[in-house]
Amino acid sequence: MQATNTDTTGRVPTCVTRPNQPMIRQFFLIGLIAAFVFFAQHAGAADELVPPFGFRWNDSMARVEAGLIHPGLKRTVFTFKERALVAVELQYEYPDWSIERYNQRMGEIRKYFDEKYGTGKLVSRSRDHDTEVIQTLVGYQWMVGTTMLELFYFSAQHDNLIYRTISVDYKAL
């Protein structure tokens, strides 16, 4: 009879870990790849400024125009500070409207904002007759947390030439 080594010290761990080593390596590699992809995506996203309103860079003009359709919206002005959006101004014009219709619309918008954010503060009411161009400016302001909302009506008239606009300004403070 030959002597058999019955000492199992050190063998059990070797037997248990060796069959699992390829699986552990796979999990480690999958985790490493997932971490690389995650950090690569977030590093790329931090270097890119994403357009507002859910747009993407290289969107077609048709998609952008379709996304900014509001009756009377003529211009949208975005203001950035240190590559971050700090203000959006929406400028509305209605060429066929009378002064009465503009006043009515200003009242409707003001009432909507008053109901939503509390009574707005009158920040401007002026009518300038000093030149040949008669200018009128009426503005209201709402403060909500660290943001400001302003509503303005502006008109300029010289004889039969009339320019009127309503602007809604959203600003981060």
Side-chain angles (χ1 to χ4, degrees), residues 6-159:
T6 58
D7 181 17
T8 58
T9 307
R11 287 188 185 179
V12 174
T14 304
C15 294
V16 172
T17 57
R18 279 199 178 134
N20 292 336
Q21 279 181 344
M23 190 168 27
I24 291 172
R25 282 189 199 132
Q26 286 177 338
F27 283 129
F28 178 75
L29 287 175
I30 290 170
L32 187 62
I33 291 169
F36 176 77
V37 169
F38 175 79
F39 288 116
Q41 286 176 343
H42 286 281
D47 293 336
E48 180 181 16
L49 180 65
V50 180
F53 300 120
F55 295 130
R56 294 183 177 89
W57 298 123
N58 298 318
D59 275 347
S60 68
M61 287 179 67
R63 183 178 187 291
V64 172
E65 288 172 356
L68 288 177
I69 293 180
H70 296 205
L73 182 63
K74 295 297 179 191
R75 279 173 297 285
T76 303
V77 180
F78 300 96
T79 304
F80 295 85
K81 183 177 182 180
E82 297 176 11
R83 297 183 60 185
L85 182 66
V86 294
V88 177
E89 180 181 355
L90 306 173
Q91 298 176 2
Y92 296 88
E93 295 175 20
Y94 307 93
D96 299 332
W97 281 14
S98 65
I99 184 70
E100 291 80 15
R101 182 62 182 109
Y102 267 95
N103 288 338
Q104 179 185 0
R105 184 65 180 144
M106 274 292 290
E108 294 166 357
I109 297 169
R110 180 178 166 209
K111 180 181 176 191
Y112 172 80
F113 288 148
D114 280 347
E115 290 173 356
K116 192 167 184 173
Y117 304 116
T119 303
K121 176 183 172 185
L122 179 66
V123 292
S124 179
R125 182 179 295 272
S126 66
R127 188 168 177 101
D128 183 7
H129 298 274
D130 293 343
T131 65
E132 292 181 16
V133 178
I134 300 170
Q135 297 181 39
T136 303
L137 179 66
V138 178
Y140 297 91
Q141 181 183 81
W142 294 262
M143 301 294 287
V144 182
T146 59
T147 59
M148 179 172 53
L149 175 63
E150 294 179 315
L151 171 66
F152 288 100
Y153 165 76
F154 174 76
S155 75
Q157 182 173 355
H158 178 67
D159 297 329

